[in-house]
Each structure stands twice: as structure tokens, then as C-alpha cells.
Amino acid sequence: MSATRFTYLGPEGTFTEAALRTLPEAATRELVPMVSVPAALDAVRNGEAAAALVPIENSVEGGVTATLDELASGEPLMIYREVLLPITFALLVRPGTALSDVKTVTGHPVAQPQVRNWLRANLPDAVWESAASNADGARLVQEGRFDAAFAGEFAAATYGLVPLVTEIHDAENAETRFVLVGRPARPAAPTGADKTSVVLWLGDDHPGALLELLQEFAVRGVNLMLIQSRPTGQGIGNYCFAVDAEGHISDRRVSEALMGLKRTCPQVRFLGSYPRAGVAQSDVRAPRPGTSDGDFTAASDWLGRCLDGRA
């Protein structure tokens, strides 16, 4: 395995690369762009890279389906940390291009909902066609296949383009969450401000099936931060659920919730426990009464006394 190589969703100049470069360890690694999320993750699976950074959630559009599906299938991988990156777009064009010259535009499909209103107001007749990534859209503009691309302003120099308009975003404070993914290993020690990610499969379709899964978290005071359904590919109505929960797998309330799910679900895939980006331990609310590790320990001790006739 190449311990010195990190892959990411490329080509050069993507928001994913910008997010990766915020990690201190990226300064000592070879950063290799890949053509797609599956390609970036497969490089980790086959030992060509130690880890991959890929987008997993956008504050405007929700989960990034390519990443969710890849993590739910194939050889298991594990999330080790997350990165939050504020997202604002620039309209990149070849030098000398005016706004009135722009008839065709491109960008990643996730970008379109974030600039839709701006497009409607400023380029109502422009034709949109999706690209593999925002940076790939910039490359296509460089090659003359489109008039303009929505990408990060930092990508302009890489592709010999100029930012015609900057600070484009329909939603204020839009951001994308990226995850650093590697091969499965022991989770990092808890920080007190952690997140646990899993994928859950329903055993059978019946009234309240999803509620039964959620109750495993609810009765133990585990707050859910994301739940998204994804088709399993086994026919209409067959879904798995990607779930992010507050806490670390070593927290009793989280570990017991996962054990409850493992008893009732035909499949549970643990994707990792890792520090929450931008959240300090002091920012995390205390567990609800009855759900702290101390409460679980006290209840276990009480049960032991009952079994020993000392209750």
C-alpha cells in the first residue's frame, strides 16, 4: 500500500482538492486526482493510496449519492475525519469573453442547484450541461467546448481562464462536507465531539420498520444528524439508510444502539467514528439524563446485584 499517497475527486482545481489541502497531513502526501468518486475510493481498496477525500454531503442538495452508494457497497472502507468547506462559485471563461457571449455553461450536477437563481436572472437563455466535476468543467471551457463553467475561483489559473463573475451562490453560507476514507482499522480515540456513521438495511418491509430502527437510537438518547435512503438495486421499494449519529462507538449509548441494530437488521455496515469538523467538546450538549456512560454503568451494576440476590 502506498502510505504516502492520497487520492481525491479531480481533476486539479476542484473544491475537493481545496478541502484536502486544509488537512495538515496533506502537506506530506502525494495528492493524486481521480476521474470519479468510485475511482478515488477504489485506489484505497486496491492499495494504491492510503486514503481518499471525497464529498459526501452538501448543505443545499443533501447527500452526495455517488459517495453514499460507494461506501454502502463493495469492500468495506472507513471514515477517519471530515472537512467542511464553504462553497461559493465563480463563472470562469476564456480571456476576452463577455457575459453576453455566454451561451453554454457547465459544472458538476451538485453545483447547478446552488447557482440556479443566478443563472435564471443573469443568463436565462444559456444551456447547461453537467461535467464530471467543477474543475473538469473548467477544462472543457479551456478546450472550447463550453463558454463558461461554474467552479472555484482558485481553478481559473490552472486552466488559463479568468473569473468573469465571483461570489455566486443562491444560498448564503452554503458548504460541502468531505470525508477522508481509508481501509478499516481501529477507530481513533473519542474526542468528546464525535460522529458515528453507519449504513443500515431493513429486514423486511412492514409498517413501522424504519421507526423500529430509529427507536434504537431514540431510546438511548442518540441524536441523528443525517438519515438518507438509498436504493439497494434489488428492486423498487428496497432501500438501505445512511445514518450519521452524534457520539463515538465507544460511548455506551452509541455502542448499545449499534448492538440493537445488529440484532434486528440483516446488515449493518460501520463506516467509522471520527471528530466532528468545526465542533469543540465545549460545544457539545451533555447527554440526556439516563443516557451517559455513568448511567449505563449504574444500570448494569444494578442488574448484576439483582442476579446475585443483592438488589
Side-chain angles (χ1 to χ4, degrees):
M1 176 181 294
S2 176
T4 62
R5 181 178 298 160
F6 283 176
T7 56
Y8 66 91
L9 175 61
E12 294 181 12
T14 58
F15 286 109
T16 309
E17 181 188 9
L20 179 55
R21 291 188 181 277
T22 67
L23 299 179
E25 56 264 50
T28 60
R29 303 296 198 278
E30 177 190 3
L31 307 184
V32 182
M34 305 299 283
V35 298
S36 65
V37 167
L41 296 178
D42 282 345
V44 178
R45 288 187 170 109
N46 62 30
E48 295 177 5
L53 194 84
V54 291
I56 195 168
E57 182 184 5
N58 179 270
S59 62
V60 175
E61 281 294 282
V64 178
T65 56
T67 300
L68 294 173
D69 291 346
E70 276 296 308
L71 293 177
S73 61
E75 185 181 343
L77 294 169
M78 193 162 141
I79 299 171
Y80 287 93
R81 65 185 303 171
E82 65 178 9
V83 178
L84 293 178
L85 187 73
I87 302 296
T88 184
F89 293 92
L91 187 68
L92 305 186
V93 299
R94 294 181 294 277
T97 302
L99 192 62
S100 59
D101 299 326
V102 176
K103 307 301 181 185
T104 57
V105 295
T106 187
H108 191 275
V110 174
Q112 187 179 21
Q114 300 179 64
V115 299
R116 184 181 294 124
N117 293 337
W118 188 93
L119 264 175
R120 186 181 301 116
N122 296 275
L123 293 170
D125 298 323
V127 177
W128 170 284
E129 187 172 327
S130 293
S133 69
N134 296 309
D136 191 55
R139 179 185 62 81
L140 295 174
V141 172
Q142 180 190 45
E143 294 176 356
R145 296 171 60 181
F146 294 92
D147 298 324
F150 287 100
E153 186 177 354
F154 49 79
T158 301
Y159 296 97
L161 305 177
V162 295
L164 185 60
V165 185
T166 61
E167 297 295 320
I168 300 173
H169 46 72
D170 289 351
E172 293 289 340
N173 303 315
E175 58 185 3
T176 294
R177 181 166 70 100
F178 302 84
V179 287
L180 187 68
V181 179
R183 296 178 70 85
R186 182 183 296 273
T191 67
D194 301 291
K195 178 184 294 185
T196 294
S197 297
V198 294
V199 183
L200 311 172
W201 279 258
L202 290 177
D204 59 83
D205 186 15
H206 63 270
L210 178 58
L211 177 61
E212 291 170 4
L213 301 187
L214 300 180
Q215 284 177 332
E216 296 289 350
F217 295 105
V219 298
R220 296 173 178 89
V222 179
N223 185 47
L224 298 187
M225 309 176 72
L226 176 145
I227 178 167
Q228 180 156 339
S229 63
R230 295 297 304 147
T232 64
Q234 298 177 354
I236 296 295
N238 289 293
Y239 293 93
C240 62
F241 296 87
V243 174
D244 288 346
E246 281 186 336
H248 193 276
I249 191 172
S250 64
D251 297 335
R252 288 288 295 273
R253 62 187 180 279
V254 177
S255 62
E256 295 212 5
L258 296 183
M259 286 191 291
L261 291 164
K262 183 60 178 174
R263 291 196 309 269
T264 58
C265 295
Q267 185 178 353
V268 176
R269 177 168 285 198
F270 174 64
L271 296 181
S273 290
Y274 48 94
R276 292 171 59 187
V279 178
Q281 184 176 357
S282 58
D283 298 328
V284 178
R285 57 192 162 192
R288 288 173 49 201
T291 66
S292 70
D293 279 10
D295 293 325
F296 278 96
T297 299
S300 180
D301 291 344
W302 171 83
L303 182 61
R305 293 195 301 274
C306 289
L307 292 171
D308 291 341
R310 298 182 290 112

